[in-house]
Amino acid sequence: MVNLLNIYLNHNGYGNQKESFEDLFLSHPNFPSLFAITDSLNALSIENIALKVPKEQFLDLPDNFLAIYKSEIVLVNKTTSTITVQSEELKSKKLSFTEFLADWNEVIIAIEPNIIPTLKKEKSNKKWLVTILAFTGIVGLSAAFNTFSLNSILLLTTSTIGLLLSVFIVQEKFGVKNEITSKFCSINPNTSCNSVIKSKKSEINKWIDFSDLTLLFFGISTLSILTQPEFSIKIVGLLSLVAIPAIIYSVWLQKFEIKKWCVLCLAVSFVIILQSVFFTLGNTTAYSFAVTDFYSFVFSAILLSTIWFLVKPILENKIRFEKEANELMRFKRNFNLFQFLSNTIEEYDDFEKLNGITFGSSEAATQITLILSPSCGHCHTTFEEAYELYQNYSEKIHLNILFNINPSNEANMYKVVVENLLALKEQDPQKAKEALVDWHINRLNLDNWKRKWSVESPHLLINKELQNQYYWCLKNEFNYTPVKIINGNLFPDGYEIKELKYFLNNFSEEMELLNQLETA
């Protein structure tokens, strides 16, 4: 479903938000519900609406939107005469208005298009370009030291294509979604690469299956031909011939046992048959074997097999850990759990009288207070996270910075930082904010910071404020920094400030509910 939603975001100019949306959506406690979609969009401040629309008003809907069709979330693209429905498996189907309306339950999700889209450059495109350039360089280097016949060129080309297809198969096996392969693998109802590749029947034993064999075969073939072309093509061609019974078994398995076709598997089978044909039609009289002919192929086989069987468990563990992390994150993102773990402050009296450095509107639903010390390394990180969160969600967050430093301790060389910050706040609040950023984020050293943000000797009101903040911390036994307070409660252990982005909508809803109760 993530791929489908990412396509929808792209259509409406939110390509730069895809990674953030995926993070929010996959870790949402209500994943993969409609609410998880709308709540994740809300968290990114993407205007959206989920509602039930009478079928009579269908023509008034936008050109593209998400809908529930046949109990499944689909992407709908509407023209004046037809409707294209794209499913979770990225299968596309053209329907008439009558056909669509018959199975549409009238529920849609629509987002406001981004007027000035800032599409993020796809990293994958750069990766493919680097890979292609690197492979071209290796081929060029091989050509400088070896002589390639027509047959060796043909077998190198088919082996490279087979290697690429094998990579797609392994991606499908590990659950790494690829938009291109997803479209091919779901070209009609009878095709499903996932069903075939992940089938127990495709496993040879618990250590190796057909996806491993194809990846290793084409990888070894490509490397051996590049290093010793004229000798390696004999072995590659011969092995392709030997593999034909396995191809027949694979086709039989898909047709009669699994009853689904794997387009990628069929493409790999075709490549192997093609290699067999090239080998058979080649100069068979020249295909005599010597022991030295096997050196390159055996070396490539040992090298790539060792690498793959070392890397494979790492990849499997990484994918498993990512899946488990998402499941744990859904549990952690439960707002009721977050509130349960948020402890009350024992001595809350006089807190509102403390005069700190503030960012954002005091009416915001999410009120974050940080009590910091200028000499605390963890305070740098905490403030940086909170400040970044404020910058991303400035309309939803009010950030208040207080200090816990003993005003009587003249030996504390960092006391001047807090005094200057509070003095700057009285003179020019914006400068105080900039000075705070310079200290905690830009990490200016003490001498440079004092030169840049020097003020006259702090007056008695500044000292009084410093004392008030220090004594309030003493009352609550806050003998540490940073102290994190969220909407009047202590921030729960086990959470980081940056994770508050998951609860911003919950705080807004909670505030709206309280306002309704007060006005009732």
Side-chain angles (χ1 to χ4, degrees):
M1 187 184 294
V2 173
N3 281 337
L4 189 70
L5 295 168
N6 282 339
I7 292 170
Y8 185 48
L9 289 172
N10 258 338
H11 280 178
N12 288 276
Y14 295 101
N16 61 321
Q17 300 274 40
K18 288 194 297 185
E19 287 183 14
S20 299
F21 175 82
E22 189 169 333
D23 173 48
L24 290 164
F25 180 58
L26 290 178
S27 62
H28 198 282
N30 297 106
F31 171 87
S33 65
L34 284 178
F35 176 67
I37 297 172
T38 56
D39 199 43
S40 300
L41 292 170
N42 288 333
L44 296 171
S45 299
I46 297 175
E47 292 292 330
N48 68 91
I49 189 169
L51 73 165
K52 195 163 187 177
V53 179
K55 292 182 179 180
E56 296 78 20
Q57 297 179 13
F58 177 73
L59 292 176
D60 299 327
L61 293 175
D63 292 338
N64 59 77
F65 54 88
L66 297 170
I68 297 181
Y69 176 76
K70 291 186 176 179
S71 302
E72 180 185 1
I73 295 177
V74 297
L75 176 60
V76 178
N77 287 286
K78 178 168 67 74
T79 65
T80 53
S81 57
T82 61
I83 292 169
T84 303
V85 172
Q86 199 166 12
S87 67
E88 183 179 340
E89 293 80 20
L90 302 184
K91 297 178 184 176
S92 292
K93 187 177 182 181
K94 284 193 175 182
L95 303 169
S96 67
F97 280 25
T98 305
E99 288 173 322
F100 176 77
L101 293 176
D103 292 304
W104 173 48
N105 74 346
E106 303 182 347
V107 173
I108 72 157
I109 297 176
I111 62 176
E112 186 71 26
N114 193 2
I115 299 172
I116 308 175
T118 52
L119 295 177
K120 189 175 182 179
K121 291 181 180 179
E122 296 291 344
K123 292 181 182 177
S124 58
N125 291 341
K126 290 184 178 180
K127 288 179 181 178
W128 278 112
L129 181 60
V130 170
T131 303
I132 291 169
L133 289 174
F135 184 75
T136 304
I138 292 170
V139 171
L141 189 64
S142 176
F145 291 94
N146 298 292
T147 302
F148 282 84
S149 65
L150 176 61
N151 211 24
S152 59
I153 292 172
L154 291 173
L155 283 174
L156 176 60
T157 303
T158 50
S159 294
T160 305
I161 294 169
L163 179 60
L164 181 62
L165 291 169
S166 300
V167 170
F168 289 151
I169 288 173
V170 171
Q171 283 184 332
E172 191 73 18
K173 177 188 172 185
F174 286 153
V176 179
K177 293 300 179 184
N178 183 305
E179 191 173 326
I180 297 172
T181 56
S182 294
K183 286 183 178 179
F184 278 109
C185 288
S186 57
I187 199 164
N188 68 55
N190 295 320
T191 58
S192 175
C193 297
N194 189 59
S195 300
V196 176
I197 293 168
K198 292 186 178 180
S199 170
K200 292 290 183 182
K201 297 181 184 297
S202 68
E203 293 180 357
I204 298 171
N205 55 48
K206 63 180 181 179
W207 297 287
I208 193 167
D209 56 32
F210 283 112
S211 63
D212 297 316
L213 286 180
T214 55
L215 182 69
L216 288 174
F217 174 70
F218 287 115
I220 292 165
S221 299
T222 303
L223 181 59
S224 62
I225 292 172
L226 284 171
T227 53
Q228 202 176 20
E230 292 309 312
F231 296 126
S232 296
I233 59 172
K234 303 176 188 178
I235 304 169
V236 172
L238 184 62
L239 288 177
S240 297
L241 278 173
V242 172
I244 289 178
I247 291 172
I248 295 170
Y249 172 71
S250 172
V251 173
W252 177 85
L253 199 65
Q254 294 173 62
K255 173 68 176 175
F256 298 104
E257 290 289 323
I258 304 173
K259 297 180 180 178
K260 290 283 184 181
W261 292 106
C262 170
V263 178
L264 293 174
C265 306
L266 293 174
V268 163
S269 300
F270 176 75
V271 170
I272 292 175
I273 292 170
L274 205 58
Q275 287 186 324
S276 303
V277 172
F278 292 151
F279 175 74
T280 305
L281 295 179
N283 185 6
T284 53
T285 58
Y287 290 154
S288 58
F289 292 92
V291 174
T292 54
D293 296 349
F294 293 89
Y295 287 166
S296 176
F297 192 88
V298 170
F299 169 77
S300 300
I302 294 172
L303 176 65
L304 294 183
S305 297
T306 303
I307 292 173
W308 174 241
F309 287 111
L310 287 174
V311 169
K312 182 183 175 183
I314 296 172
L315 292 174
E316 288 175 334
N317 288 334
K318 179 178 180 293
I319 290 165
R320 188 176 75 253
F321 291 152
E322 285 176 353
K323 183 179 179 181
E324 290 174 356
N326 280 328
E327 290 172 354
L328 289 172
M329 198 61 183
R330 286 170 205 154
F331 172 75
K332 192 177 181 183
R333 280 189 59 186
N334 187 300
F335 186 58
N336 292 330
L337 175 66
F338 180 87
Q339 286 185 308
F340 176 77
L341 295 174
S342 301
N343 296 321
T344 56
I345 296 173
E346 297 294 332
E347 297 288 341
Y348 199 73
D349 293 346
D350 299 328
F351 175 78
E352 308 235 343
K353 295 179 182 177
L354 302 179
N355 193 8
I357 299 172
T358 60
F359 301 79
S361 169
S362 59
E363 301 299 318
T366 305
Q367 302 276 328
I368 305 172
T369 297
L370 302 180
I371 302 177
L372 309 176
S373 168
S375 60
C376 163
H378 293 298
C379 294
H380 293 323
T381 304
T382 299
F383 175 77
E384 189 169 0
E385 286 183 4
Y387 186 69
E388 183 179 353
L389 190 70
Y390 159 74
Q391 286 183 309
N392 291 334
Y393 306 97
S394 55
E395 295 179 0
K396 299 180 178 182
I397 289 174
H398 177 255
L399 178 59
N400 181 32
I401 306 299
L402 302 175
F403 302 96
N404 184 3
I405 188 167
N406 187 350
S408 303
N409 185 5
E410 298 298 334
N412 187 345
M413 61 190 293
Y414 296 102
K415 178 186 168 189
V416 65
V417 174
V418 178
E419 290 175 338
N420 284 12
L421 284 169
L422 293 177
L424 283 167
K425 180 192 178 299
E426 295 300 319
Q427 297 169 13
D428 187 340
Q430 183 56 38
K431 285 186 177 180
K433 297 173 187 178
E434 293 171 9
L436 195 62
V437 169
D438 266 350
W439 182 257
H440 284 296
I441 297 178
N442 298 332
R443 312 282 178 92
L444 295 185
N445 64 46
L446 184 58
D447 291 334
N448 290 338
W449 189 90
K450 285 195 296 185
R451 274 195 296 270
K452 183 175 181 180
W453 301 108
S454 61
V455 293
E456 296 178 5
S457 299
H459 50 71
L460 292 175
L461 286 176
I462 299 303
N463 291 330
K464 180 65 176 173
E465 179 59 37
L466 188 55
Q467 287 177 353
N468 289 341
Q469 295 183 22
Y470 177 67
Y471 290 140
W472 190 84
C473 290
L474 281 181
K475 275 198 305 182
N476 286 282
E477 298 182 356
F478 292 151
N479 53 2
Y480 60 90
T481 53
V483 175
K484 296 172 276 189
I485 300 171
I486 177 74
N487 285 12
N489 293 317
L490 282 175
F491 197 82
D493 293 333
Y495 286 85
E496 297 180 23
I497 286 288
K498 60 186 177 184
E499 291 176 315
L500 272 177
K501 66 182 180 182
Y502 300 128
F503 303 110
L504 296 179
N505 290 332
N506 298 105
F507 286 125
S508 297
E509 290 169 6
E510 190 178 57
M511 185 179 184
E512 288 176 11
L513 182 61
L514 288 173
N515 291 337
Q516 289 173 5
L517 291 174
E518 287 175 2
T519 56

